[in-house]
């Protein structure tokens, strides 16, 4: 029975899949966690959504049963939706931490009778090494910015921004107007970002895309429309930004998803919830 996580050896470069070694089979009576490398980012709260890379080993067999490192992409999830031991091990940790977690079956998959398809039997203790890549915000957080005059107005209604274009004069070029200035990481062209946003069509003054109603959307700055690339680079995590994007920087010939007609100017309000350099 493991009484101290020093009985488990973890090696490997930061940001890469670790090697986890122990005198398998190993079991533990109560979930324990240990910070292997300290970060300095936002604290993980009990209701947080986290962006992580993880490597999971079965304590009975010593075999890897799941690894986002091996898949080559991070995982995003609310702690309320993962096994209790994973959440217990991460609460109170920080973005940038590398964390070793070991949990008994009771905090893993015992309540579901194990996960035989992954080689996990009831009673198996699990070992995870988790890199906390980021702790995305749930909405913009920072100092309010007074927008320039003559622009569409933005008012928050039931937790989401509502744009009123009204009699504003349509600009010919890209307009970038921060509404809330966050104090987080400054976005670069090489970042992956998590955002919530809404899109309005200038011609109809109507909402045509609602990216605020569900979970945050993840993407690469390399793959967004030109107006986003130009408008978001240099902005900071926590910010809410209004972009007025002319057709040339959005969808010059229109598109069906979202429903944008040819020549349409678009108004975006974007909450920047996290950003990190792509691996």
């Amino acid at each position: 029975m493991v009484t101290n996580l020093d009985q488990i050896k973890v090696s490997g470069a930061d940001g890469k899949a670790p090697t986890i070694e122990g005198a398998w089979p190993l079991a533990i009576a109560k979930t324990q966690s240990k910070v292997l490398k300290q970060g300095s980012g936002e604290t993980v709260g009990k209701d947080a959504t986290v962006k992580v890379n993880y490597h999971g080993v079965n304590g009975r067999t010593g075999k890897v049963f799941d690894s986002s490192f091996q898949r080559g992409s991070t995982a995003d999830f609310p702690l309320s939706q993962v096994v209790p031991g994973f959440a217990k091990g991460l609460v109170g940790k920080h973005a940038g931490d590398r964390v070793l977690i070991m949990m008994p079956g009771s905090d893993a998959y015992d309540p579901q009778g194990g996960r035989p398809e992954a080689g996990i039997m009831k009673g198996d203790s699990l070992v995870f090494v988790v890199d906390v890549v980021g702790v995305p915000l749930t909405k913009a957080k920072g100092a309010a910015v007074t927008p320039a005059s003559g622009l569409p107005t933005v008012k928050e209604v039931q937790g989401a921004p509502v744009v009123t274009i009204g009699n504003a004069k349509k600009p010919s070029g890209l307009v970038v107007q921060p509404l809330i200035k966050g104090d987080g990481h400054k976005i670069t062209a090489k970042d992956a970002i998590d955002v919530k946003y809404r899109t309005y069509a200038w011609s109809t003054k109507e909402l045509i895309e609602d990216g605020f109603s569900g979970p945050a959307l993840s993407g690469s700055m390399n793959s967004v429309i030109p107006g986003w690339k130009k408008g978001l680079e240099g902005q900071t995590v926590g910010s809410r930004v209004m972009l007025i994007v002319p057709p040339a920087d959005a969808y010059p010939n229109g598109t069906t998803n979202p429903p944008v007609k040819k020549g349409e100017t678009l108004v975006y309000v974007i909450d920047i919830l996290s950003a990190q350099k792509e691996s």
Side-chain angles (χ1 to χ4, degrees):
M1 184 71 67
V2 172
T3 57
N4 188 308
L5 293 186
D6 290 342
Q7 295 173 247
I8 297 171
K9 181 182 177 182
V10 179
S11 57
D14 290 347
K16 305 295 182 183
T19 299
I20 303 174
E21 298 174 283
W24 320 113
L26 290 173
I28 199 166
K30 184 179 179 181
T31 295
Q32 293 187 38
S33 63
K34 176 183 178 181
V35 176
L36 302 175
K37 178 186 77 82
Q38 284 197 319
S40 58
E42 185 141 344
T43 302
V44 178
K46 64 182 180 64
D47 298 319
T49 292
V50 292
K51 180 184 288 289
V52 299
N53 262 321
Y54 65 89
H55 198 68
V57 166
N58 188 322
R60 175 174 54 85
T61 65
K63 292 183 178 179
V64 177
F65 64 87
D66 192 12
S67 175
S68 68
F69 287 103
Q70 293 178 355
R71 288 194 296 275
S73 61
T74 56
D76 294 56
F77 42 71
L79 290 184
S80 61
Q81 295 180 9
V82 293
V83 295
F86 204 95
K88 289 178 182 179
L90 290 184
V91 170
K93 305 304 190 291
H94 301 84
D97 284 356
R98 170 166 277 198
V99 184
L100 172 64
I101 304 170
M102 188 170 186
M103 66 191 73
S106 57
D107 271 349
Y109 293 103
D110 282 8
Q112 291 84 42
R115 281 188 61 198
E117 75 282 2
I120 299 171
M121 300 295 109
K122 190 172 181 179
D124 286 353
S125 292
L126 304 181
V127 181
F128 287 93
V129 172
V130 184
D131 284 359
V132 185
V133 177
V135 185
L137 300 170
T138 56
K139 63 182 297 185
K141 178 183 178 182
V145 178
T146 302
S149 61
L151 297 177
T153 60
V154 181
K155 182 179 180 181
E156 188 161 313
V157 178
Q158 296 182 336
V162 174
V163 174
T164 301
I165 295 175
N167 295 321
K169 183 179 179 181
K170 183 170 70 174
S172 57
L174 177 69
V175 173
V176 182
Q177 176 61 66
L179 302 171
I180 296 173
K181 178 66 174 176
D183 61 3
H185 169 84
K186 185 177 288 188
I187 294 175
T188 75
K190 296 181 179 179
D191 281 346
I193 57 175
D194 290 280
V195 299
K196 288 192 173 185
Y197 70 98
R198 280 183 158 179
T199 313
Y200 287 77
W202 192 284
S203 64
T204 64
K205 304 181 181 180
E206 293 181 353
L207 177 70
I208 60 170
E209 193 176 20
D210 188 359
F212 253 85
S213 59
L217 300 166
S218 301
S220 167
M221 283 289 286
N222 286 326
S223 61
V224 297
I225 61 171
W228 277 42
K229 288 181 182 179
K230 296 173 184 177
L232 294 184
E233 188 173 352
Q235 303 295 331
T236 51
V237 171
S239 294
R240 173 173 289 176
V241 183
M242 177 168 63
L243 301 179
I244 304 176
V245 184
D249 282 334
Y251 305 100
N253 297 312
T255 182
T256 56
N257 187 23
V260 178
K261 67 182 183 181
K262 183 177 180 179
E264 182 70 87
T265 291
L266 300 175
V267 181
Y268 293 94
V269 178
I270 305 163
D271 279 12
I272 306 168
L273 305 178
S274 79
Q276 51 279 319
K277 187 176 180 180
E278 291 191 286
S279 55

